[in-house]
């Protein structure tokens, strides 16, 4: 039987593995991400809301409620002549009409500060509408491509998707040992058949079939995901996959050797010399 002095790997460092092998100094720190299949280009029916942030929409609604109310209150408080004046719908809706690029009716009456408020709001509405029109045109020019799974919680919530995890990986060991939290919820997916353990040499076939189909996603290190995506793009000249924006589980990667092998200390010295040649 042949013996191996050093396994290059690199392998994820974990306490369980350290009991049977010796790790060298970490040669790389990597993160895990979700690899999924891109959806087909589509038009989002709620796309008209995307040009502005939710906070901006809330501020616009608040302004449309506050400005007419403030105009009526200030008129009734500072002028006795306004007691007999009736504020009709066109007067109180002038701010909304400006926002919708419509003409303002009956704006010649009232006090000077009412006209100032209306003019300032007109400038604000002009900036908002021009910004909205430009951003909306840009969004409509490019169709929306769904990338639904950006976090582990997205996978837990969607019962139609299955998660593929590397069999025997250090991440899998850590996940099984966690008692609470999102990783406990991920581990429990195995009870419902939504968590599959696959050896790394089968990843190429699994990604090209199950993951490409859209009902499976792969959880893998960022460096490996980029390799799979670049190979697929080279072969098909299409970007069929995406990786999640969120990163998970920083993982130290190192080479391993037999327990007590003196070659580990020698390799560590060489590695430090490589990092600090001076």
């Amino acid at each position: 039987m042949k013996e191996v002095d050093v396994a290059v790997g690199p392998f994820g460092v974990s306490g369980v593995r350290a009991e049977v092998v010796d790790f060298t100094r970490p040669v790389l720190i990597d993160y895990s991400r979700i690899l999924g299949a891109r959806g087909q280009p589509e038009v989002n029916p709620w796309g008209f809301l995307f040009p502005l942030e939710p906070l901006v929409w809330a501020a616009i609604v608040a302004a449309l409620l506050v400005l007419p109310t403030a105009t009526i209150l200030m008129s009734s408080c500072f002028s006795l002549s306004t007691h007999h004046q009736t504020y009709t719908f066109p007067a109180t809706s002038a701010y909304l009409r400006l926002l919708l690029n419509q003409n303002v009716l009956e704006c010649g009456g009232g006090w000077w500060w009412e006209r100032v408020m209306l003019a300032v709001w007109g400038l604000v509405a002009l900036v908002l509408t021009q910004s909205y029109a430009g951003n909306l045109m840009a969004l409509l020019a490019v169709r929306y491509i769904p990338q639904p799974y950006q976090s582990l919680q997205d996978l837990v919530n969607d019962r139609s998707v299955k998660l593929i995890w590397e069999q025997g990986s250090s991440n899998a060991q850590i996940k099984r040992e966690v008692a609470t939290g999102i990783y406990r919820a991920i581990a429990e997916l195995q009870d419902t058949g939504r968590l599959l353990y696959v050896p790394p040499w089968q990843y190429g076939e699994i990604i090209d079939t199950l993951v490409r189909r859209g009902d499976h996603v792969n959880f893998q290190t960022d460096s490996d995901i980029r390799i799979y995506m670049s190979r697929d793009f080279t072969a098909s000249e299409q970007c069929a996959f995406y990786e999640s924006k969120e990163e998970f589980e920083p993982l130290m990667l190192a080479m391993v050797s037999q327990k007590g092998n003196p070659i580990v200390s020698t390799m560590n010295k060489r590695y430090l010399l490589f990092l600090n040649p001076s």
Side-chain angles (χ1 to χ4, degrees):
M1 179 178 179
K2 297 181 179 180
E3 294 182 355
V4 177
D5 291 324
V6 177
V8 177
F11 300 92
V13 179
S14 67
V16 176
R17 293 179 175 180
E19 295 178 357
V20 294
V21 296
D22 283 341
F23 287 95
T24 64
R25 289 182 178 272
V27 298
L28 176 66
I29 297 180
D30 205 350
Y31 294 84
S32 298
R33 293 177 186 263
I34 299 172
L35 174 67
R38 289 175 178 264
Q40 296 297 323
E42 60 185 36
V43 177
N44 195 321
W46 296 98
F48 67 93
L49 295 176
F50 292 161
L52 300 179
E53 294 290 333
L55 183 61
V56 178
W57 285 112
I60 293 175
V61 173
L64 291 175
L65 295 176
V66 171
L67 289 175
T69 304
T71 301
I72 296 175
L73 292 178
M74 291 176 65
S75 298
S76 59
C77 291
F78 295 107
S79 178
L80 296 176
S81 61
T82 57
H83 289 320
H84 302 289
Q85 183 177 352
T86 302
Y87 281 85
T88 61
F89 179 79
T92 57
S93 65
Y95 302 100
L96 178 60
R97 297 177 67 88
L98 278 176
L99 187 63
L100 298 179
N101 289 329
Q102 296 181 359
N103 63 318
V104 179
L105 302 177
E106 300 182 11
C107 62
W111 297 89
W112 63 269
W113 49 266
E114 295 182 32
R115 300 178 183 178
V116 171
M117 290 179 60
L118 203 60
V120 172
W121 175 249
L123 292 176
V124 174
L126 177 63
V127 174
L128 286 174
T129 53
Q130 292 300 319
S131 176
Y132 176 84
N135 291 335
L136 182 61
M137 185 177 298
L139 288 174
L140 293 178
V142 179
R143 289 190 177 184
Y144 172 72
I145 299 179
Q147 299 180 11
Y149 308 112
Q150 298 293 337
S151 67
L152 294 178
Q153 191 62 50
D154 294 336
L155 299 177
V156 174
N157 295 338
D158 190 351
R159 298 183 179 181
S160 64
V161 67
K162 296 182 180 179
L163 174 61
I164 300 174
W165 210 291
E166 182 179 348
Q167 184 178 6
S169 64
S170 58
N171 286 336
Q173 294 175 354
I174 296 173
K175 175 174 55 57
R176 285 193 293 264
E177 296 172 357
V178 174
T180 59
I182 184 62
Y183 291 106
R184 180 71 260 170
I186 291 293
E188 293 175 352
L189 294 180
Q190 188 176 9
D191 300 334
T192 58
R194 294 180 54 201
L195 178 60
L196 309 177
Y197 290 103
V198 176
W201 57 84
Q202 294 183 4
Y203 266 16
E205 179 183 356
I206 292 297
I207 292 175
D208 194 47
T209 55
L210 298 182
V211 177
R212 188 185 298 274
R213 197 169 62 192
D215 55 355
H216 290 70
V217 296
N218 183 25
F219 190 85
Q220 185 57 273
T221 57
D222 184 40
S223 57
D224 290 337
I225 287 178
R226 292 179 183 271
I227 293 174
Y228 293 128
M229 292 178 64
S230 61
R231 288 178 178 175
D232 180 76
F233 182 79
T234 302
S236 63
E237 297 183 355
Q238 294 181 354
C239 189
F241 301 99
Y242 74 94
E243 62 176 352
S244 63
K245 297 179 181 179
E246 187 174 347
E247 297 177 333
F248 317 95
E249 297 181 355
L251 182 63
M252 293 187 297
L253 303 175
M255 296 179 286
V256 300
S257 180
Q258 301 170 0
K259 198 71 174 176
N261 194 334
I263 196 175
V264 174
S265 59
T266 303
M267 295 178 64
N268 289 336
K269 293 178 181 179
R270 294 287 184 181
Y271 181 63
L272 292 177
L273 183 61
F274 173 75
L275 294 179
N276 300 292
S278 59

